[in-house]
Structures are given as structure tokens and as C-alpha cells.
């Protein structure tokens, strides 16, 4: 990608990514809202070379830009910047730890077999997929994954980031539309190996990912942030309530 112009003086921008402790982290920076199947504009990892691993500097024509930063163990951050023509500046991106990331030590188990790991790999380029219930109507209601947040301490969970983004060629009506978040805290004596140990903390809106006719499109499915009631947890369970098909406004029944 290139955002320079032969008709305007470019702004030279250096990107720096840090965690909440101020330590540098390796992140990729994208122009726009998309990370999956998109080339980054910059890369803060000094050890990588060759496409698509870039350096941490890029040039921009004057204007306002939307950005997405992504890093293993930290997930996504979206931000907006306005650049003047000419000169240089440094953009510092602060990223919180994604405790539900495999790169942070989390593990996941549940419906979907080998695809479960794709739920916690910090990228929208891969997906967790699971078939509907085999008994009765072929419904997605109740499909779930349980994420062990790794470690003995309880994590203060305030929000979750969820994406319904699919790969090219997948049926967009199979993407998630509504979901629930359940938590368990083993440090309070709960058995996180059983359903009884979990408490429902959040039910999303029925149109958390608001796809509609003629089909859900990518801007409806990309990563969104959902605030949930503050809770301490060692395990988080993600449970699907409806897909873009079963929860959509034109669904006529199983």
C-alpha cells in the first residue's frame, strides 16, 4: 500500500507500539478497518524483513486516516490520525494484553475440533467454525468454546472483542450474530470443568453484528468491542445464540 501523492508533500510517520508497561511490542499497522487479507503499511518488529514485513516508517499525503494495529498477544487497536503535509512525526500505540490469546498462554476447548484454536490467534484471517446441533433442528444455538485464561491469577474482565469476519468463499450467513459470555473463577472455588461453575455475564444485542439483506457484508462482521459487567475470571466461555441466518430479519424458521 502507498498513501503518498506526487501532487502533495508527504508526511513521514514513524509508528511505535508499546504495552501498558511501556515495553515495545511487535505490531503490524494497517490503513483502514481491515486486517484479514490486507497488506500492512508498517511493521514495528525490527527482526523481520521482506514483504509483508515492513519497517516502522510510512509516508502519507495530507488528510485524516483510519488505522488498525494488530499484535500477537494483544489483539487489535483502532485509531484515527490527521496528518499535515511535509515534516515528520511519531505515532505511539498503546495496546492492552489480550488474555484470551494463545500467544499470552490461553488455551481453548469446545465445539469445532481443530478450528477452536483459530478463535484465540489474534487475527481475523482465520476462524473458529462449528456445525449446528445434529439432534433436532440444525441450530447453532448453544455452540460454545471455553477459554482458559492461563495462569493462576484471576483476570478482571471488563470488555471482550469479538469478530464474525469470514474468509473469502465462506457463506456469510453462517457468521455469528448474537452471543453470550459466561465466566468462571477457579480461585473462588468454582469448578471450571463443569457447566455448573459458569455464570452468564453478558448477552449481546440480537443484532450485535447487524447483517441484513441481500447478505451480510464485511463492515458488519469485523471486530467489535463489547463492554460487559466487570468480573474476575480464570475461564471465559463464548456461547453462540444465533447466526446471520437464524438471527437475521428474514429468517422464516428452521
Amino acid at each position: 500500500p502507498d498513501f503518498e501523492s506526487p501532487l502533495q508533500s508527504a508526511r513521514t510517520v514513524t509508528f511505535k507500539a508499546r504495552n501498558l508497561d511501556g515495553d515495545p511490542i511487535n505490531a503490524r499497522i494497517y490503513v483502514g478497518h481491515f486486517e484479514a487479507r490486507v497488506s500492512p503499511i508498517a511493521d514495528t518488529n525490527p527482526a523481520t524483513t521482506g514483504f509483508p514485513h515492513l519497517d516502522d516508517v510510512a509516508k502519507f499525503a495530507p488528510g485524516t486516516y483510519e488505522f488498525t494495529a494488530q499484535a500477537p498477544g494483544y489483539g487489535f487497536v483502532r485509531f484515527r490520525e490527521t496528518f499535515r503535509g511535509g515534516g515528520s512525526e511519531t505515532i505511539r500505540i498503546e495496546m492492552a494484553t489480550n488474555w484470551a490469546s494463545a500467544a499470552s498462554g490461553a488455551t481453548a476447548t469446545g465445539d469445532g475440533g481443530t478450528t477452536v484454536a483459530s478463535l484465540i490467534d489474534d487475527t481475523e484471517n482465520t476462524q473458529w467454525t462449528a456445525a449446528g446441533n445434529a439432534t433436532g433442528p440444525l441450530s447453532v444455538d448453544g455452540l460454545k468454546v471455553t477459554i482458559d485464561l492461563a495462569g493462576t491469577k484471576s483476570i478482571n474482565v471488563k470488555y471482550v472483542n469479538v469478530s464474525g469476519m469470514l474468509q473469502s468463499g465462506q457463506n456469510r450467513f453462517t457468521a455469528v450474530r448474537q452471543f453470550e459470555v459466561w465466566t468462571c473463577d477457579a480461585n473462588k472455588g468454582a469448578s471450571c470443568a463443569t457447566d455448573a461453575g459458569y455464570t452468564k455475564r453478558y448477552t449481546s444485542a440480537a443484532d450485535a453484528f447487524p447483517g441484513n439483506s441481500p447478505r451480510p457484508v464485511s463492515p458488519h462482521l469485523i471486530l467489535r468491542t463489547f463492554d460487559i459487567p466487570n468480573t474476575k475470571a480464570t475461564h471465559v466461555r463464548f456461547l453462540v445464540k444465533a447466526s446471520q441466518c437464524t438471527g437475521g430479519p428474514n429468517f422464516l424458521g428452521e
Side-chain angles (χ1 to χ4, degrees):
D2 187 353
F3 293 90
E4 293 183 78
S5 168
L7 304 179
Q8 295 173 293
S9 178
R11 187 78 163 174
T12 300
V13 179
T14 301
F15 295 92
K16 302 294 182 185
R18 299 285 187 273
N19 62 20
L20 298 186
D21 293 326
D23 302 319
I25 59 177
N26 299 326
R28 289 181 175 180
I29 295 90
Y30 303 80
V31 176
H33 293 163
F34 295 93
E35 174 261 349
R37 305 185 300 280
V38 175
S39 297
I41 190 69
D43 183 342
T44 65
N45 187 348
T48 56
T49 58
F51 181 84
H53 306 290
L54 312 174
D55 59 24
D56 58 0
V57 178
K59 293 184 177 182
F60 296 87
T64 298
Y65 296 81
E66 301 279 349
F67 291 95
T68 298
Q70 179 267 343
Y74 296 90
F76 290 73
V77 169
R78 289 200 175 98
F79 58 100
R80 175 184 296 177
E81 296 290 340
T82 298
F83 302 130
R84 303 190 309 272
S88 62
E89 64 180 279
T90 299
I91 302 298
R92 292 176 171 83
I93 309 161
E94 188 175 69
M95 304 184 75
T97 298
N98 178 12
W99 295 106
S101 167
S104 298
T107 56
T109 56
D111 300 311
T114 58
T115 69
V116 169
S118 296
L119 185 70
I120 58 171
D121 61 358
D122 296 291
T123 177
E124 291 185 291
N125 203 40
T126 58
Q127 300 82 31
W128 164 53
T129 60
N133 300 322
T135 58
L138 193 63
S139 173
V140 299
D141 187 0
L143 294 175
K144 61 184 180 293
V145 169
T146 300
I147 305 161
D148 184 339
L149 300 181
T152 57
K153 70 176 182 177
S154 302
I155 302 298
N156 188 25
V157 183
K158 300 180 180 180
Y159 63 90
V160 295
N161 287 335
V162 183
S163 171
M165 183 70 168
L166 299 179
Q167 291 179 330
S168 177
Q170 289 179 309
N171 185 337
R172 296 188 187 188
F173 284 98
T174 65
V176 65
R177 186 176 179 93
Q178 185 183 27
F179 64 91
E180 294 176 350
V181 175
W182 296 61
T183 64
C184 176
D185 191 349
N187 291 327
K188 290 187 176 179
S191 173
C192 299
T194 65
D195 291 343
Y198 289 82
T199 301
K200 183 167 65 174
R201 301 296 183 183
Y202 178 78
T203 300
S204 77
D207 60 348
F209 294 91
N212 208 335
S213 297
R215 62 172 180 160
V217 294
S218 293
H220 294 151
L221 303 178
I222 58 174
L223 190 101
R224 294 167 180 249
T225 298
F226 300 88
D227 293 325
I228 71 172
N230 290 7
T231 181
K232 295 281 190 179
T234 56
H235 297 71
V236 171
R237 176 169 289 175
F238 179 84
L239 185 145
V240 175
K241 294 302 296 177
S243 68
Q244 291 292 331
C245 172
T246 62
N250 295 324
F251 184 55
L252 300 180
E254 295 288 355

